[in-house]
Amino acid sequence: MSSGAVATTVFAVFMVGTVALGLAAVRGRGKQGGIAEWSVGGRSLGAVFIWVLMAGEGYTSFSYLGAAGWGYNYGAPVLYVVAYMSCGYAVGYVVGPMLWAYARRHGLVSISDMVAHRYGRPWLGAGVALLVTVFLLPYIQLQITGMGVVVSTISYGAISLNWAYFIGFAVTTGFVVVSGLRGSAWVSVLKDVMVVGTLAFLAIYVPQHYFDGYGAFLDRIVDEKSDWLTLPGSGGSAYGEAWFATTSLLNALTVVIFPTTVAGYLGARSADGLRRNAIWLPAYNVLLFVPMLLGMAALFVVPGLVGAESNLALFKLVVDSLPAWAVGVIGVAAALSSIVPMAVFMLVIGTMWGSSVLSLLPRWRTPQRQKVASQAVVVVAGALALAMTYGAPNTLVRLSLISYEGMAQLVPILLLGLVWRKLTLAGALSGLVVGVGIVCALVFSDHDPVFGVNAGIVALAANLAVALVVSYAGPADRADGRPDDEVLARDPLDEFDEFDEFDEFDGAETGPARGVRPAGGSGSGPGAGAR
Protein backbone atom coordinates (compact mmCIF):
# COMPACT_ATOMS: atom_id res chain seq x y z
CA MET A 1 0.00 0.00 0.00
CA SER A 2 1.38 3.39 -0.95
CA SER A 3 2.14 6.11 1.61
CA GLY A 4 -0.72 8.21 0.30
CA ALA A 5 -3.17 5.33 0.68
CA VAL A 6 -2.03 4.59 4.25
CA ALA A 7 -2.28 8.20 5.39
CA THR A 8 -5.62 8.66 3.64
CA THR A 9 -7.04 5.53 5.28
CA VAL A 10 -5.98 6.73 8.74
CA PHE A 11 -7.55 10.10 8.01
CA ALA A 12 -10.80 8.58 6.72
CA VAL A 13 -11.22 6.33 9.77
CA PHE A 14 -10.84 9.29 12.12
CA MET A 15 -13.24 11.46 10.12
CA VAL A 16 -15.94 8.79 10.30
CA GLY A 17 -15.24 8.51 14.03
CA THR A 18 -15.53 12.28 14.39
CA VAL A 19 -19.00 12.38 12.85
CA ALA A 20 -20.09 9.38 14.94
CA LEU A 21 -18.79 11.00 18.15
CA GLY A 22 -20.52 14.26 17.38
CA LEU A 23 -23.83 12.50 16.75
CA ALA A 24 -23.45 10.34 19.87
CA ALA A 25 -23.41 13.51 21.96
CA VAL A 26 -27.19 13.78 21.70
CA ARG A 27 -27.99 10.06 21.91
CA GLY A 28 -30.93 9.46 24.21
CA ARG A 29 -31.98 13.10 24.18
CA GLY A 30 -34.39 12.67 21.30
CA LYS A 31 -35.71 15.95 19.94
CA GLN A 32 -36.19 17.57 23.34
CA GLY A 33 -35.43 21.20 23.81
CA GLY A 34 -35.41 24.19 21.55
CA ILE A 35 -32.71 26.56 20.47
CA ALA A 36 -30.98 26.78 23.86
CA GLU A 37 -30.50 23.02 24.09
CA TRP A 38 -28.96 22.97 20.61
CA SER A 39 -26.99 26.24 20.61
CA VAL A 40 -25.62 26.39 24.17
CA GLY A 41 -25.93 22.75 25.23
CA GLY A 42 -28.92 23.46 27.46
CA ARG A 43 -26.60 25.58 29.64
CA SER A 44 -25.55 22.34 31.32
CA LEU A 45 -21.99 21.57 30.18
CA GLY A 46 -19.58 20.80 32.99
CA ALA A 47 -16.15 22.30 33.58
CA VAL A 48 -14.25 19.63 31.61
CA PHE A 49 -16.39 19.96 28.48
CA ILE A 50 -16.25 23.75 28.63
CA TRP A 51 -12.47 23.61 29.07
CA VAL A 52 -11.87 21.39 26.03
CA LEU A 53 -14.43 23.33 23.97
CA MET A 54 -12.96 26.76 24.71
CA ALA A 55 -9.41 25.47 24.36
CA GLY A 56 -10.44 23.92 21.06
CA GLU A 57 -11.82 27.21 19.77
CA GLY A 58 -8.50 28.89 20.43
CA TYR A 59 -6.47 26.16 18.77
CA THR A 60 -7.40 26.39 15.09
CA SER A 61 -5.72 25.52 11.82
CA PHE A 62 -3.67 28.69 12.41
CA SER A 63 -1.88 26.85 15.20
CA TYR A 64 -0.49 24.19 12.82
CA LEU A 65 -0.15 26.38 9.73
CA GLY A 66 -0.09 30.09 10.57
CA ALA A 67 1.87 29.84 13.83
CA ALA A 68 4.56 27.75 12.15
CA GLY A 69 4.50 30.10 9.14
CA TRP A 70 4.89 33.20 11.33
CA GLY A 71 7.67 31.48 13.25
CA TYR A 72 9.36 30.72 9.93
CA ASN A 73 8.90 34.20 8.44
CA TYR A 74 9.16 36.52 11.45
CA GLY A 75 9.99 34.71 14.69
CA ALA A 76 9.23 36.57 17.93
CA PRO A 77 6.16 38.58 16.77
CA VAL A 78 4.13 35.36 16.66
CA LEU A 79 4.25 35.27 20.46
CA TYR A 80 1.44 37.84 20.46
CA VAL A 81 -0.93 34.86 20.19
CA VAL A 82 0.20 33.48 23.54
CA ALA A 83 0.19 36.96 25.09
CA TYR A 84 -3.32 38.00 24.07
CA MET A 85 -4.95 34.64 24.78
CA SER A 86 -3.48 34.45 28.28
CA CYS A 87 -4.48 38.05 29.03
CA GLY A 88 -7.89 37.40 27.52
CA TYR A 89 -8.50 34.51 29.88
CA ALA A 90 -7.73 36.84 32.79
CA VAL A 91 -10.33 39.31 31.50
CA GLY A 92 -12.70 36.39 30.95
CA TYR A 93 -12.46 35.49 34.64
CA VAL A 94 -14.62 38.57 35.27
CA VAL A 95 -16.54 38.95 32.00
CA GLY A 96 -17.46 35.29 31.40
CA PRO A 97 -19.55 34.76 34.57
CA MET A 98 -21.17 38.17 34.08
CA LEU A 99 -22.33 37.34 30.54
CA TRP A 100 -23.36 33.84 31.65
CA ALA A 101 -25.59 35.20 34.42
CA TYR A 102 -27.11 37.90 32.19
CA ALA A 103 -27.97 35.45 29.42
CA ARG A 104 -29.34 32.87 31.83
CA ARG A 105 -31.49 35.38 33.69
CA HIS A 106 -33.10 36.66 30.49
CA GLY A 107 -33.07 33.49 28.36
CA LEU A 108 -30.55 34.74 25.79
CA VAL A 109 -28.37 32.56 23.57
CA SER A 110 -26.02 34.92 21.67
CA ILE A 111 -24.36 38.33 21.75
CA SER A 112 -26.95 39.65 19.29
CA ASP A 113 -29.66 38.67 21.79
CA MET A 114 -27.78 40.50 24.54
CA VAL A 115 -27.46 43.70 22.53
CA ALA A 116 -31.14 43.57 21.57
CA HIS A 117 -32.18 43.07 25.19
CA ARG A 118 -29.84 45.72 26.58
CA TYR A 119 -31.14 48.46 24.30
CA GLY A 120 -34.69 47.14 23.94
CA ARG A 121 -34.45 47.08 20.13
CA PRO A 122 -34.90 43.71 18.37
CA TRP A 123 -33.78 45.28 15.08
CA LEU A 124 -30.45 46.17 16.69
CA GLY A 125 -29.86 42.51 17.50
CA ALA A 126 -30.58 41.63 13.89
CA GLY A 127 -28.12 44.29 12.72
CA VAL A 128 -25.40 42.95 15.02
CA ALA A 129 -26.08 39.41 13.76
CA LEU A 130 -25.60 40.57 10.15
CA LEU A 131 -22.37 42.41 11.00
CA VAL A 132 -20.95 39.46 12.94
CA THR A 133 -21.85 37.11 10.08
CA VAL A 134 -19.75 39.23 7.72
CA PHE A 135 -16.84 39.03 10.17
CA LEU A 136 -17.18 35.27 10.83
CA LEU A 137 -17.63 33.93 7.28
CA PRO A 138 -13.93 34.53 6.50
CA TYR A 139 -13.02 32.44 9.55
CA ILE A 140 -15.07 29.53 8.23
CA GLN A 141 -13.37 29.92 4.86
CA LEU A 142 -9.94 30.00 6.51
CA GLN A 143 -10.67 26.77 8.38
CA ILE A 144 -11.92 25.11 5.19
CA THR A 145 -8.80 26.26 3.35
CA GLY A 146 -6.51 25.25 6.21
CA MET A 147 -8.01 21.79 6.40
CA GLY A 148 -7.81 21.42 2.63
CA VAL A 149 -4.11 22.24 2.61
CA VAL A 150 -3.42 19.85 5.49
CA VAL A 151 -5.39 16.95 4.02
CA SER A 152 -3.90 17.35 0.55
CA THR A 153 -0.40 17.46 2.05
CA ILE A 154 -0.68 14.51 4.44
CA SER A 155 -2.33 12.37 1.75
CA TYR A 156 0.75 12.95 -0.45
CA GLY A 157 -1.55 14.57 -3.03
CA ALA A 158 -3.96 11.60 -3.17
CA ILE A 159 -6.81 13.91 -2.08
CA SER A 160 -7.09 17.08 -4.13
CA LEU A 161 -7.59 20.48 -2.54
CA ASN A 162 -11.15 20.74 -3.85
CA TRP A 163 -12.15 17.39 -2.38
CA ALA A 164 -10.40 18.22 0.87
CA TYR A 165 -12.39 21.48 1.13
CA PHE A 166 -15.64 19.57 0.67
CA ILE A 167 -14.68 16.92 3.23
CA GLY A 168 -14.10 19.64 5.84
CA PHE A 169 -17.51 21.15 5.16
CA ALA A 170 -19.32 17.79 5.09
CA VAL A 171 -17.78 16.41 8.29
CA THR A 172 -18.45 19.59 10.26
CA THR A 173 -22.00 20.06 9.00
CA GLY A 174 -22.69 16.36 9.53
CA PHE A 175 -22.64 16.60 13.31
CA VAL A 176 -23.14 20.26 14.19
CA VAL A 177 -26.58 20.50 12.56
CA VAL A 178 -27.83 17.60 14.67
CA SER A 179 -25.98 17.96 17.97
CA GLY A 180 -25.03 21.64 18.16
CA LEU A 181 -22.67 22.85 20.87
CA ARG A 182 -22.82 19.57 22.77
CA GLY A 183 -21.52 17.70 19.73
CA SER A 184 -18.72 20.24 19.28
CA ALA A 185 -17.72 19.74 22.92
CA TRP A 186 -17.55 15.95 22.50
CA VAL A 187 -15.47 16.23 19.35
CA SER A 188 -13.22 18.71 21.19
CA VAL A 189 -12.26 15.92 23.59
CA LEU A 190 -10.96 13.79 20.71
CA LYS A 191 -9.30 16.80 19.16
CA ASP A 192 -7.50 17.81 22.35
CA VAL A 193 -6.20 14.29 22.94
CA MET A 194 -4.85 14.24 19.38
CA VAL A 195 -3.36 17.74 19.59
CA VAL A 196 -1.62 17.20 22.92
CA GLY A 197 -0.29 13.82 21.82
CA THR A 198 1.01 14.87 18.39
CA LEU A 199 2.56 18.16 19.54
CA ALA A 200 4.24 16.51 22.51
CA PHE A 201 5.71 13.95 20.09
CA LEU A 202 6.83 16.59 17.57
CA ALA A 203 8.36 18.75 20.30
CA ILE A 204 10.72 15.85 21.06
CA TYR A 205 11.09 14.26 17.65
CA VAL A 206 11.96 17.21 15.39
CA PRO A 207 14.83 18.74 17.43
CA GLN A 208 16.24 15.26 18.13
CA HIS A 209 15.92 14.02 14.54
CA TYR A 210 17.29 17.09 12.76
CA PHE A 211 19.59 18.72 15.35
CA ASP A 212 20.50 16.00 17.90
CA GLY A 213 18.58 17.83 20.61
CA TYR A 214 17.40 21.23 21.76
CA GLY A 215 20.88 22.45 22.72
CA ALA A 216 22.23 22.31 19.19
CA PHE A 217 18.94 23.60 17.74
CA LEU A 218 18.79 26.68 19.99
CA ASP A 219 22.50 27.35 19.50
CA ARG A 220 21.95 27.52 15.74
CA ILE A 221 19.05 29.92 16.13
CA VAL A 222 21.10 32.22 18.38
CA ASP A 223 24.14 32.08 16.12
CA GLU A 224 22.47 32.21 12.69
CA LYS A 225 18.93 33.58 13.15
CA SER A 226 19.16 35.93 16.12
CA ASP A 227 16.78 38.43 14.47
CA TRP A 228 13.99 35.87 14.86
CA LEU A 229 14.35 36.01 18.68
CA THR A 230 13.59 39.71 19.20
CA LEU A 231 10.99 42.21 18.05
CA PRO A 232 10.29 43.24 15.34
CA GLY A 233 11.54 39.89 14.11
CA SER A 234 13.16 38.94 10.83
CA GLY A 235 13.77 41.56 8.18
CA GLY A 236 12.72 44.54 10.28
CA SER A 237 9.01 43.74 9.95
CA ALA A 238 6.28 46.18 10.94
CA TYR A 239 5.47 44.08 14.00
CA GLY A 240 7.53 45.89 16.64
CA GLU A 241 7.01 46.57 20.34
CA ALA A 242 4.12 49.04 19.89
CA TRP A 243 2.30 46.67 17.54
CA PHE A 244 2.86 43.74 19.89
CA ALA A 245 1.52 45.61 22.93
CA THR A 246 -1.50 47.14 21.20
CA THR A 247 -2.42 43.92 19.39
CA SER A 248 -2.20 41.91 22.61
CA LEU A 249 -4.40 44.47 24.41
CA LEU A 250 -6.96 44.71 21.61
CA ASN A 251 -7.26 40.97 21.15
CA ALA A 252 -7.45 40.30 24.90
CA LEU A 253 -10.49 42.60 25.07
CA THR A 254 -12.01 41.17 21.91
CA VAL A 255 -11.64 37.47 22.65
CA VAL A 256 -13.98 37.69 25.67
CA ILE A 257 -16.86 38.98 23.52
CA PHE A 258 -15.98 36.95 20.44
CA PRO A 259 -19.21 35.09 19.58
CA THR A 260 -17.65 31.65 19.76
CA THR A 261 -16.13 32.40 23.18
CA VAL A 262 -19.48 33.66 24.41
CA ALA A 263 -21.13 30.45 23.17
CA GLY A 264 -18.76 28.57 25.47
CA TYR A 265 -19.65 30.87 28.37
CA LEU A 266 -23.37 30.39 27.86
CA GLY A 267 -23.07 26.62 27.62
CA ALA A 268 -21.54 26.36 31.09
CA ARG A 269 -23.46 24.85 33.99
CA SER A 270 -22.04 27.27 36.52
CA ALA A 271 -20.18 30.54 36.93
CA ASP A 272 -17.62 28.78 39.11
CA GLY A 273 -16.82 26.45 36.22
CA LEU A 274 -16.03 29.45 34.03
CA ARG A 275 -13.74 30.92 36.68
CA ARG A 276 -11.86 27.65 37.01
CA ASN A 277 -11.54 27.50 33.24
CA ALA A 278 -10.12 31.02 33.13
CA ILE A 279 -7.43 29.88 35.57
CA TRP A 280 -6.48 26.71 33.71
CA LEU A 281 -6.95 27.66 30.05
CA PRO A 282 -3.62 29.56 29.81
CA ALA A 283 -1.86 26.25 30.46
CA TYR A 284 -3.13 25.06 27.07
CA ASN A 285 -1.26 27.92 25.42
CA VAL A 286 2.04 26.22 26.25
CA LEU A 287 1.30 23.97 23.28
CA LEU A 288 1.44 26.98 20.95
CA PHE A 289 5.19 27.26 21.51
CA VAL A 290 5.67 23.95 19.69
CA PRO A 291 4.55 24.96 16.16
CA MET A 292 6.27 28.33 16.64
CA LEU A 293 9.58 26.65 17.44
CA LEU A 294 9.13 24.07 14.71
CA GLY A 295 8.54 26.87 12.22
CA MET A 296 11.96 28.25 13.15
CA ALA A 297 13.45 24.76 12.97
CA ALA A 298 12.20 24.54 9.38
CA LEU A 299 14.44 27.52 8.52
CA PHE A 300 17.40 25.14 8.61
CA VAL A 301 15.72 22.04 7.18
CA VAL A 302 13.64 23.50 4.31
CA PRO A 303 15.02 27.01 3.68
CA GLY A 304 13.62 29.27 1.01
CA LEU A 305 9.90 28.79 1.57
CA VAL A 306 8.02 31.91 0.47
CA GLY A 307 4.42 33.12 0.56
CA ALA A 308 1.75 30.56 1.38
CA GLU A 309 4.36 27.77 1.21
CA SER A 310 5.81 28.94 4.53
CA ASN A 311 2.55 27.93 6.25
CA LEU A 312 3.45 24.33 5.47
CA ALA A 313 6.78 24.61 7.29
CA LEU A 314 5.74 22.21 10.06
CA PHE A 315 4.36 19.58 7.69
CA LYS A 316 7.40 19.69 5.43
CA LEU A 317 9.43 18.61 8.46
CA VAL A 318 7.37 15.49 9.04
CA VAL A 319 5.95 14.31 5.70
CA ASP A 320 9.28 13.02 4.41
CA SER A 321 10.71 11.79 7.71
CA LEU A 322 7.86 9.90 9.39
CA PRO A 323 5.99 6.76 8.33
CA ALA A 324 2.75 7.37 6.48
CA TRP A 325 0.51 6.26 9.37
CA ALA A 326 2.17 8.79 11.69
CA VAL A 327 1.76 11.54 9.09
CA GLY A 328 -1.90 10.58 8.89
CA VAL A 329 -2.35 10.86 12.65
CA ILE A 330 -0.68 14.29 12.75
CA GLY A 331 -2.87 15.34 9.84
CA VAL A 332 -5.97 14.23 11.74
CA ALA A 333 -4.98 16.41 14.70
CA ALA A 334 -4.51 19.40 12.40
CA ALA A 335 -7.79 18.67 10.59
CA LEU A 336 -9.68 18.48 13.89
CA SER A 337 -8.11 21.83 14.77
CA SER A 338 -10.03 23.18 11.79
CA ILE A 339 -13.24 21.23 12.31
CA VAL A 340 -13.96 22.18 15.94
CA PRO A 341 -13.67 25.96 15.57
CA MET A 342 -15.40 25.82 12.18
CA ALA A 343 -18.31 23.97 13.81
CA VAL A 344 -18.68 26.65 16.48
CA PHE A 345 -18.39 29.49 13.93
CA MET A 346 -21.21 27.93 11.91
CA LEU A 347 -23.22 27.23 15.05
CA VAL A 348 -22.92 30.83 16.23
CA ILE A 349 -24.03 32.26 12.88
CA GLY A 350 -27.01 29.91 12.83
CA THR A 351 -27.93 30.77 16.41
CA MET A 352 -27.83 34.53 15.84
CA TRP A 353 -29.97 34.29 12.71
CA GLY A 354 -32.47 31.98 14.38
CA SER A 355 -32.82 33.99 17.59
CA SER A 356 -32.26 37.57 16.39
CA VAL A 357 -33.02 37.84 12.67
CA LEU A 358 -35.62 35.27 11.60
CA SER A 359 -37.35 35.59 14.99
CA LEU A 360 -38.51 39.03 13.88
CA LEU A 361 -41.06 37.09 11.83
CA PRO A 362 -43.96 36.00 14.09
CA ARG A 363 -44.06 32.42 12.80
CA TRP A 364 -40.40 31.83 13.79
CA ARG A 365 -40.60 32.98 17.41
CA THR A 366 -41.09 29.66 19.18
CA PRO A 367 -37.88 28.01 20.50
CA GLN A 368 -38.39 24.90 18.37
CA ARG A 369 -38.85 26.88 15.16
CA GLN A 370 -35.86 29.07 15.99
CA LYS A 371 -33.81 25.90 16.34
CA VAL A 372 -34.95 24.61 12.93
CA ALA A 373 -34.18 27.99 11.36
CA SER A 374 -30.75 28.06 13.01
CA GLN A 375 -29.92 24.58 11.72
CA ALA A 376 -30.86 25.61 8.20
CA VAL A 377 -28.69 28.73 8.43
CA VAL A 378 -25.72 26.59 9.57
CA VAL A 379 -25.90 24.66 6.29
CA VAL A 380 -26.33 27.84 4.25
CA ALA A 381 -23.42 29.63 5.97
CA GLY A 382 -21.10 26.67 5.53
CA ALA A 383 -22.14 26.17 1.91
CA LEU A 384 -21.63 29.88 1.19
CA ALA A 385 -18.12 29.82 2.67
CA LEU A 386 -17.36 26.63 0.70
CA ALA A 387 -18.69 28.11 -2.56
CA MET A 388 -16.63 31.26 -2.09
CA THR A 389 -13.57 29.14 -1.31
CA TYR A 390 -14.02 27.56 -4.73
CA GLY A 391 -15.19 30.55 -6.71
CA ALA A 392 -14.03 33.78 -5.08
CA PRO A 393 -11.45 33.01 -2.38
CA ASN A 394 -9.89 36.46 -2.49
CA THR A 395 -13.17 38.10 -1.46
CA LEU A 396 -13.24 36.37 1.91
CA VAL A 397 -9.47 36.73 2.29
CA ARG A 398 -9.89 40.50 1.99
CA LEU A 399 -12.71 40.46 4.53
CA SER A 400 -10.59 38.37 6.91
CA LEU A 401 -8.19 41.31 7.17
CA ILE A 402 -10.80 43.24 9.15
CA SER A 403 -12.54 40.36 10.92
CA TYR A 404 -10.89 40.46 14.34
CA GLU A 405 -10.31 44.21 14.41
CA GLY A 406 -13.88 44.73 13.23
CA MET A 407 -15.24 42.43 15.92
CA ALA A 408 -13.35 44.51 18.49
CA GLN A 409 -15.65 47.42 17.71
CA LEU A 410 -18.48 45.56 19.48
CA VAL A 411 -16.73 45.93 22.85
CA PRO A 412 -18.35 49.30 23.77
CA ILE A 413 -21.88 48.50 22.58
CA LEU A 414 -21.85 45.17 24.42
CA LEU A 415 -19.51 45.26 27.41
CA LEU A 416 -19.72 48.95 28.26
CA GLY A 417 -23.45 48.92 27.60
CA LEU A 418 -24.01 46.06 30.04
CA VAL A 419 -22.34 47.85 32.95
CA TRP A 420 -23.16 51.52 32.24
CA ARG A 421 -26.79 52.56 31.81
CA LYS A 422 -25.93 56.04 30.52
CA LEU A 423 -24.52 54.64 27.27
CA THR A 424 -27.34 55.53 24.91
CA LEU A 425 -28.48 53.73 21.80
CA ALA A 426 -27.39 56.70 19.66
CA GLY A 427 -23.98 56.79 21.34
CA ALA A 428 -23.36 53.06 21.03
CA LEU A 429 -24.43 52.98 17.38
CA SER A 430 -22.45 56.10 16.45
CA GLY A 431 -19.31 54.67 18.02
CA LEU A 432 -19.79 51.31 16.26
CA VAL A 433 -20.21 52.96 12.85
CA VAL A 434 -17.13 55.15 13.37
CA GLY A 435 -15.02 52.24 14.65
CA VAL A 436 -15.90 49.85 11.82
CA GLY A 437 -15.43 52.65 9.27
CA ILE A 438 -11.93 53.48 10.55
CA VAL A 439 -10.91 49.82 10.59
CA CYS A 440 -12.04 49.37 6.98
CA ALA A 441 -10.35 52.58 5.86
CA LEU A 442 -7.00 51.81 7.51
CA VAL A 443 -6.82 48.10 6.68
CA PHE A 444 -7.99 48.30 3.08
CA SER A 445 -5.62 51.20 2.41
CA ASP A 446 -2.71 49.14 3.76
CA HIS A 447 -2.21 51.35 6.83
CA ASP A 448 -2.21 48.56 9.40
CA PRO A 449 -0.15 48.94 11.52
CA VAL A 450 -0.53 52.74 11.58
CA PHE A 451 2.58 54.41 13.00
CA GLY A 452 3.54 51.04 14.45
CA VAL A 453 0.20 50.63 16.29
CA ASN A 454 -2.54 48.11 15.57
CA ALA A 455 -5.21 49.84 13.47
CA GLY A 456 -7.98 48.12 15.41
CA ILE A 457 -7.08 49.79 18.68
CA VAL A 458 -6.98 53.19 16.98
CA ALA A 459 -10.51 52.50 15.71
CA LEU A 460 -11.62 51.25 19.13
CA ALA A 461 -10.35 54.43 20.81
CA ALA A 462 -12.31 56.55 18.32
CA ASN A 463 -15.34 54.29 18.77
CA LEU A 464 -15.25 54.74 22.53
CA ALA A 465 -14.69 58.50 22.33
CA VAL A 466 -17.64 59.00 19.96
CA ALA A 467 -19.90 56.76 22.07
CA LEU A 468 -19.11 58.75 25.23
CA VAL A 469 -19.47 62.16 23.59
CA VAL A 470 -22.80 61.32 21.95
CA SER A 471 -24.13 59.68 25.13
CA TYR A 472 -23.22 62.70 27.27
CA ALA A 473 -24.16 65.39 24.76
CA GLY A 474 -27.27 63.80 23.30
CA PRO A 475 -30.64 62.98 24.86
CA ALA A 476 -31.00 60.08 27.25
CA ASP A 477 -32.94 56.97 26.26
CA ARG A 478 -36.03 58.13 28.12
CA ALA A 479 -38.31 55.75 26.25
CA ASP A 480 -36.72 52.81 28.04
CA GLY A 481 -38.44 52.73 31.41
CA ARG A 482 -37.07 49.37 32.54
CA PRO A 483 -35.21 49.27 35.87
CA ASP A 484 -31.43 48.87 35.92
CA ASP A 485 -31.75 45.28 37.17
CA GLU A 486 -33.55 44.39 33.96
CA VAL A 487 -31.06 46.11 31.65
CA LEU A 488 -27.60 45.81 33.19
CA ALA A 489 -25.43 42.81 33.92
CA ARG A 490 -24.25 41.95 37.41
CA ASP A 491 -21.51 39.86 38.91
CA PRO A 492 -23.07 36.47 39.78
CA LEU A 493 -21.37 36.69 43.18
CA ASP A 494 -23.60 39.62 44.05
CA GLU A 495 -26.88 38.09 42.87
CA PHE A 496 -29.58 36.37 44.82
CA ASP A 497 -30.19 32.72 44.05
CA GLU A 498 -32.89 33.93 41.71
CA PHE A 499 -32.37 31.11 39.27
CA ASP A 500 -34.20 28.77 41.64
CA GLU A 501 -37.41 29.89 39.97
CA PHE A 502 -36.21 29.09 36.48
CA ASP A 503 -36.02 25.81 34.65
CA GLU A 504 -33.07 25.58 32.33
CA PHE A 505 -34.41 27.02 29.11
CA ASP A 506 -35.76 24.74 26.42
CA GLY A 507 -35.59 21.40 28.13
CA ALA A 508 -32.25 21.46 29.92
CA GLU A 509 -31.70 20.59 33.56
CA THR A 510 -33.75 22.29 36.25
CA GLY A 511 -32.74 23.76 39.54
CA PRO A 512 -30.61 26.60 40.85
CA ALA A 513 -27.63 27.94 39.02
CA ARG A 514 -24.50 26.67 40.64
CA GLY A 515 -21.92 29.27 41.48
CA VAL A 516 -24.53 31.91 42.40
CA ARG A 517 -24.75 32.54 46.13
CA PRO A 518 -27.29 34.59 48.06
CA ALA A 519 -26.21 38.12 48.86
CA GLY A 520 -25.65 38.52 52.58
CA GLY A 521 -25.34 35.76 55.15
CA SER A 522 -22.57 33.25 55.32
CA GLY A 523 -21.97 33.15 51.55
CA SER A 524 -21.39 36.85 50.93
CA GLY A 525 -18.16 38.78 50.83
CA PRO A 526 -15.19 39.07 48.53
CA GLY A 527 -14.60 35.33 48.40
CA ALA A 528 -18.21 34.29 47.85
CA GLY A 529 -18.77 31.81 45.07
CA ALA A 530 -15.26 30.39 45.15
CA ARG A 531 -14.97 26.71 45.86
Side-chain angles (χ1 to χ4, degrees), residues 39-41 45-59 89 175 180-189 191-192 260-268 277 281 284 340-341 343-344 347:
S39 64
V40 292
L45 299 180
V48 173
F49 273 129
I50 291 296
W51 190 86
V52 296
L53 179 66
M54 296 185 73
E57 291 169 17
Y59 212 92
Y89 295 140
F175 72 84
L181 190 73
R182 194 179 299 277
S184 298
W186 279 45
V187 173
S188 289
V189 176
K191 175 231 172 187
D192 282 7
T260 53
T261 305
V262 174
Y265 292 157
L266 304 192
N277 270 291
L281 277 169
Y284 200 89
V340 170
V344 185
L347 177 78

Side-chain angles (χ1 to χ4, degrees), residues 130-147:
L130 290 169
L131 184 65
V132 171
T133 299
V134 172
F135 291 148
L136 286 185
L137 276 176
Y139 281 99
I140 298 176
Q141 187 259 350
L142 288 174
Q143 301 311 311
I144 291 174
T145 302
M147 180 170 173

Side-chain angles (χ1 to χ4, degrees), residues 80-441:
Y80 87 92
V81 179
V82 177
Y84 93 75
M85 290 183 72
S86 299
C87 293
Y89 295 140
V91 178
Y93 184 91
V94 176
V95 172
M98 181 182 74
L99 296 180
W100 171 86
Y102 189 75
R104 185 180 176 114
R105 186 165 70 245
H106 300 297
L108 312 175
V109 294
S110 66
I111 64 168
S112 56
D113 282 356
M114 294 182 194
V115 171
H117 183 85
R118 160 60 177 87
Y119 298 95
R121 303 291 194 280
W123 59 263
L124 182 60
V128 168
L130 290 169
L131 184 65
V132 171
T133 299
V134 172
F135 291 148
L136 286 185
L137 276 176
Y139 281 99
I140 298 176
Q141 187 259 350
L142 288 174
Q143 301 311 311
I144 291 174
T145 302
M147 180 170 173
V149 170
V150 167
V151 172
S152 181
T153 302
I154 62 101
S155 68
Y156 300 85
I159 301 177
S160 69
L161 275 175
N162 286 341
W163 272 110
Y165 295 154
F166 180 78
I167 290 169
F169 163 76
V171 170
T172 305
T173 307
F175 72 84
V176 78
V177 168
V178 176
S179 46
L181 190 73
R182 194 179 299 277
S184 298
W186 279 45
V187 173
S188 289
V189 176
L190 172 63
K191 175 231 172 187
D192 282 7
V193 170
M194 299 290 294
V195 166
V196 171
T198 56
L199 288 182
F201 167 75
L202 291 174
I204 297 170
Y205 171 78
V206 170
Q208 191 63 42
H209 179 76
Y210 289 106
F211 304 95
D212 294 326
Y214 269 98
F217 167 47
L218 295 176
D219 283 344
R220 285 196 67 178
I221 292 180
V222 171
D223 293 340
E224 302 176 34
K225 304 290 183 182
S226 58
D227 286 351
W228 273 255
L229 300 178
T230 58
L231 296 173
S234 168
S237 73
Y239 309 117
E241 290 86 346
W243 173 86
F244 189 97
T246 53
T247 300
S248 298
L249 174 61
L250 180 78
N251 288 11
L253 293 174
T254 306
V255 71
V256 299
I257 60 102
F258 207 79
T260 53
T261 305
V262 174
Y265 292 157
L266 304 192
R269 182 183 301 152
S270 71
D272 280 347
L274 292 177
R275 295 187 190 96
R276 287 195 295 271
N277 270 291
I279 294 170
W280 289 107
L281 277 169
Y284 200 89
N285 287 344
V286 173
L287 290 173
L288 287 170
F289 286 103
V290 177
M292 294 173 187
L293 278 174
L294 297 186
M296 288 190 278
L299 287 166
F300 305 107
V301 180
V302 281
L305 299 180
V306 295
E309 254 199 333
S310 63
N311 290 329
L312 291 172
L314 186 154
F315 284 94
K316 287 186 178 294
L317 292 175
V318 301
V319 166
D320 294 330
S321 63
L322 289 174
W325 67 265
V327 172
V329 170
I330 293 169
V332 168
L336 289 173
S337 293
S338 294
I339 287 171
V340 170
M342 178 164 49
V344 185
F345 290 142
M346 293 163 64
L347 177 78
V348 163
I349 290 175
T351 299
M352 289 189 301
W353 276 74
S355 66
S356 297
V357 180
L358 298 177
S359 63
L360 296 178
L361 303 174
R363 63 173 298 184
W364 293 102
R365 287 178 183 167
T366 65
Q368 191 61 41
R369 288 197 171 187
Q370 288 180 12
K371 175 183 173 181
V372 171
S374 299
Q375 291 170 319
V377 172
V378 162
V379 178
V380 172
L384 179 60
L386 179 66
M388 295 190 75
T389 301
Y390 287 138
N394 290 335
T395 301
L396 287 179
V397 169
R398 290 287 289 172
L399 282 175
S400 72
L401 298 176
I402 63 167
S403 289
Y404 215 91
E405 295 172 356
M407 200 77 72
Q409 307 313 311
L410 293 172
V411 169
I413 197 172
L414 178 61
L415 278 192
L416 183 59
L418 288 180
V419 298
W420 189 50
R421 184 68 185 270
K422 291 183 179 179
L423 181 65
T424 64
L425 174 61
L429 265 180
S430 299
L432 179 61
V433 170
V434 168
V436 172
I438 291 175
V439 164
C440 292

